Amino acid sequence: MHILFNFYFSAERYKENSQNDIAALLYYRTLESVFNNSLQDISSEDFKADKPDYSLFNINTDDLQNQFIEFRDSNSKNNSKSANNSLPKKLAMVDALCLLGSLDDPIAKNPKINLGRVMKIAEIRNRSVYAHGVSPIDSQSVNEICKLATDALETYMNIKGMNSIEDQRLAFKFIKLSIVKKHGYLMGLR
């Protein structure tokens, strides 16, 4: 959980400093971590998104594949016939949400964390210079990613029976530093 909170609170810090691309990347990592932690919570062992072993979910793999495809197709506006009709060899963030939906996980039931919204955020992140794009992310886009990351994190914390994000803030808060000048010279940090 600590890395999850580190992603989230670091993203806030970068957002406050108008470093939108880095903030977006960290909010995106927050979402990935929420989804991956949720999958680990419901698997019988340590589920890994980069090398998924679907047998860890104690459901027939063919049934899981059918439920995955059903969730993806029924929740996606881009109902493409060319979509892969098998379970992914590696889970991207959108795939992880589809898998959670196919496993009837509460994260995927939250209307604030719907597949269309997650796909839109993935698209925004992919346009970032820190992903696959060539354009900086604007403040409106980083605010959208922040809102989804916050909704997902709050939902996950609620499922885990944890207190609010605000209750975690103190443990992850960065110390404010200010530069001290005396007689026109930099004297140090305060």
Side-chain angles (χ1 to χ4, degrees), residues 2-184:
H2 287 92
I3 196 162
L4 174 58
F5 289 123
N6 188 47
F7 287 145
Y8 183 81
F9 291 116
S10 293
E12 279 189 342
R13 181 178 188 203
Y14 282 105
K15 182 180 172 216
E16 285 173 14
N17 291 318
S18 299
Q19 294 178 309
N20 294 337
D21 287 280
I22 298 172
L25 175 69
L26 290 166
Y27 282 129
Y28 189 90
R29 292 291 291 134
T30 302
L31 286 165
E32 284 180 326
S33 295
V34 165
F35 296 160
N36 290 338
N37 284 358
S38 296
L39 288 168
Q40 287 177 0
D41 291 346
I42 58 176
S43 68
S44 59
E45 292 179 33
D46 191 25
F47 183 81
K48 300 198 181 316
D50 62 338
K51 196 174 180 182
D53 178 357
Y54 296 106
S55 68
L56 297 176
F57 295 110
N58 298 321
I59 181 174
N60 176 290
T61 307
D62 290 334
D63 292 340
L64 181 60
Q65 177 177 309
N66 291 334
Q67 289 171 223
F68 178 89
I69 294 165
E70 170 64 26
F71 181 87
R72 181 194 64 206
D73 291 350
S74 65
N75 288 284
S76 175
K77 293 178 183 170
N78 305 347
N79 237 347
S80 171
K81 298 269 189 225
S82 65
N84 191 350
N85 285 327
S86 60
L87 291 168
K89 291 181 181 13
K90 288 185 176 184
L91 285 179
M93 181 182 67
V94 171
D95 297 326
L97 179 62
C98 289
L99 185 56
L100 288 166
S102 66
L103 293 165
D104 210 27
D105 188 82
I107 288 272
K109 289 180 177 180
N110 183 335
K112 291 181 178 180
I113 308 169
N114 65 68
L115 186 57
R117 187 175 178 206
V118 170
M119 291 174 78
K120 179 181 178 190
I121 294 307
E123 229 176 82
I124 291 170
R125 176 268 189 178
N126 287 341
R127 289 193 309 255
S128 166
V129 294
Y130 287 106
H132 312 290
V134 293
S135 302
I137 291 184
D138 60 32
S139 59
Q140 179 182 349
S141 295
V142 82
N143 286 337
E144 286 181 56
I145 296 173
C146 169
K147 180 82 173 99
L148 179 57
T150 302
D151 290 342
L153 183 55
E154 285 175 344
T155 301
Y156 183 67
M157 291 175 68
N158 189 35
I159 291 166
K160 299 284 286 179
M162 298 176 71
N163 292 332
S164 71
I165 292 173
E166 290 305 312
D167 290 343
Q168 300 295 322
R169 185 174 303 283
L170 187 59
F172 292 91
K173 188 173 182 167
F174 289 92
I175 300 169
K176 290 229 183 227
L177 300 175
S178 57
I179 297 172
V180 178
K181 288 185 179 182
K182 189 170 186 176
H183 306 295

